[in-house]
Amino acid sequence: MESKFKSDKRGEEALASFLDTCLYSKMVEDKIIQDFKRTEDKQTQLSGVDLILTTGTRDVKVDEKSALQYINMDIPTFAMEIYYRGNTGWFLKDGLQTDAYILVWPRAATTDLGAIAAEDFTLCGCMLIYKQVLRKYVNKFLSDEALLSAARALDRGELDWEHDQRNRYHVPGNPELYLTISGQLYERPVNLVIKKSILKQLCRFEVLVEKDHIRFLENQR
């Protein structure tokens, strides 16, 4: 487990370096944002802030979330952590300072997170989604309390929602959203999985990031 933690951390650090150079710095150069600053201290990171984007009107505290375990797989979803081993996951946890998420779907020359470097990343699809926009969408179908309760029930093996053979428990009223549990992982996280097609409608912007080029897609809000 310790070796996996180390490899995950290395992967996150390499991706952060790639994004600093190939996305945020270019956004500053193109005057899309005024500046950015990556947080260094552990306490700020634990409060849900990986970096701060300075725009013309405000500072946006951003939590980067990446699908590093699915490099090169182009998965059509993103998982929001609801619950793990008796703890509330980052999507519902109280007290976090996060204003927005940067969701990242990475492609790279290697899938070995223990050895990956910033220069190995070749293409990243990224979306910036404001936290309250995403929560408001989910709350159309489930309150925060109901979502956490369902996640706890799934962890106990007691959730009575409709589910398929892959144990995807579909949210009542919206089968496009579903809960899953990763029982093979030590943390046993319960995640709310949201399709990328929905996230595209909710995001502030979507951008494709290559080493020497960024391209914003048309679904900006």
Side-chain angles (χ1 to χ4, degrees):
M1 185 177 68
E2 184 179 355
S3 61
K4 183 180 185 305
F5 174 80
K6 287 181 178 179
S7 64
D8 287 352
K9 184 171 177 56
R10 181 184 177 95
E12 290 169 0
E13 290 173 347
L15 179 60
S17 179
F18 173 80
L19 293 175
D20 285 354
T21 301
C22 299
L23 175 58
Y24 308 125
S25 292
K26 286 187 170 66
M27 289 177 70
V28 173
E29 290 174 12
D30 295 342
K31 303 189 185 313
I32 297 169
I33 58 174
Q34 291 182 349
D35 199 4
F36 76 96
K37 180 180 181 181
R38 187 164 292 278
T39 57
E40 301 293 341
D41 64 289
K42 189 69 173 177
Q43 197 60 39
T44 302
Q45 293 169 356
L46 290 174
S47 71
V49 183
D50 289 318
L51 71 152
I52 298 173
L53 303 181
T54 300
T55 70
T57 57
R58 61 180 295 198
D59 287 344
V60 181
K61 298 174 181 178
V62 173
D63 192 358
E64 282 178 349
K65 298 296 181 185
S66 60
L68 276 170
Q69 300 299 326
Y70 301 97
I71 289 179
N72 299 339
M73 295 178 67
D74 294 326
I75 58 172
T77 58
F78 206 92
M80 315 295 168
E81 184 187 72
I82 306 301
Y83 182 78
Y84 66 98
R85 284 197 170 271
N87 299 289
T88 301
W90 56 261
F91 188 71
L92 294 180
K93 187 175 181 179
D94 291 330
L96 298 182
Q97 298 180 36
T98 310
D99 294 321
Y101 304 111
I102 292 275
L103 307 182
V104 187
W105 291 263
R107 296 188 67 84
T110 178
T111 59
D112 182 358
L113 296 183
I116 201 167
E119 55 267 24
D120 291 320
F121 290 96
T122 56
L123 174 68
C124 288
C126 303
M127 294 185 196
L128 184 142
I129 302 182
Y130 280 100
K131 176 180 176 179
Q132 291 308 316
V133 170
L134 187 53
R135 291 276 287 270
K136 184 177 179 181
Y137 174 80
V138 173
N139 288 158
K140 290 180 181 179
F141 310 99
L142 282 174
S143 67
D144 291 347
E145 295 77 12
L147 180 56
L148 184 57
S149 177
R152 287 170 172 160
L154 179 55
D155 182 58
R156 298 191 303 267
E158 299 174 358
L159 186 61
D160 60 0
W161 289 0
E162 201 173 293
H163 62 281
D164 57 27
Q165 293 180 336
R166 297 174 63 184
N167 290 321
R168 297 181 297 190
Y169 287 76
H170 298 279
V171 171
N174 188 347
E176 299 290 297
L177 306 177
Y178 56 88
L179 288 178
T180 62
I181 183 168
S182 298
Q184 76 278 12
L185 299 179
Y186 172 78
E187 298 87 354
R188 287 177 55 83
V190 177
N191 295 319
L192 176 68
V193 179
I194 304 179
K195 290 188 175 183
K196 190 184 287 188
S197 57
I198 293 173
L199 297 171
K200 284 175 178 284
Q201 298 172 34
L202 300 174
C203 71
R204 178 65 179 84
F205 64 73
E206 180 180 10
V207 59
L208 298 179
V209 184
E210 299 179 72
K211 291 181 180 180
D212 56 359
H213 179 69
I214 61 174
R215 179 165 65 90
F216 284 87
L217 304 185
E218 293 182 359
N219 55 313
Q220 298 182 57
R221 299 175 72 247

